Amino acid sequence: MSDRDQIFTRVTQQIAPFNKKGVALTDATTFSGDLEWDSLTVMDFVAAVEDEFDILITMNMQAEIETIGQLVDAVAKLQDEAAA
């Protein structure tokens, strides 16, 4: 399992409590469209992801993240930067 696969798994585990409609989760799943999250839910979820991975996702980064795949890539990038 690649690092990206592991991050995807951990991110989807964080999504589970917020996934009220049982939407199938893929890289292309959108937070506002597919999951129908409002901004408060997104903020709660981002806080959970930050805690899970011990990272900080800036507001600018959040604004650019619309899909699970984009979030997974952002987490991987932040982890790489922290390790460097």
Side-chain angles (χ1 to χ4, degrees):
M1 181 180 271
S2 73
D3 285 349
R4 191 180 190 288
D5 290 339
Q6 290 177 342
I7 293 169
F8 180 86
T9 298
R10 288 170 65 189
V11 165
T12 55
Q13 288 170 345
Q14 294 297 317
I15 290 172
F18 300 98
N19 189 1
K20 304 293 186 212
K21 296 189 175 201
V23 174
L25 304 175
T26 69
D27 272 357
T29 303
T30 61
F31 298 110
S32 61
D34 296 324
L35 294 170
E36 298 178 12
W37 289 359
D38 59 21
S39 57
L40 184 61
T41 303
V42 171
M43 286 176 53
D44 287 346
F45 170 68
V46 167
V49 168
E50 288 176 334
D51 289 346
E52 171 72 17
F53 292 97
D54 195 25
I55 58 173
L56 180 64
I57 300 172
T58 65
M59 293 301 276
N60 287 346
M61 285 183 79
Q62 285 181 42
E64 296 174 6
I65 296 172
E66 297 176 1
T67 68
I68 293 174
Q70 289 172 328
L71 177 62
V72 170
D73 292 339
V75 168
K77 181 179 177 214
L78 288 166
Q79 285 189 316
D80 287 348
E81 289 172 2

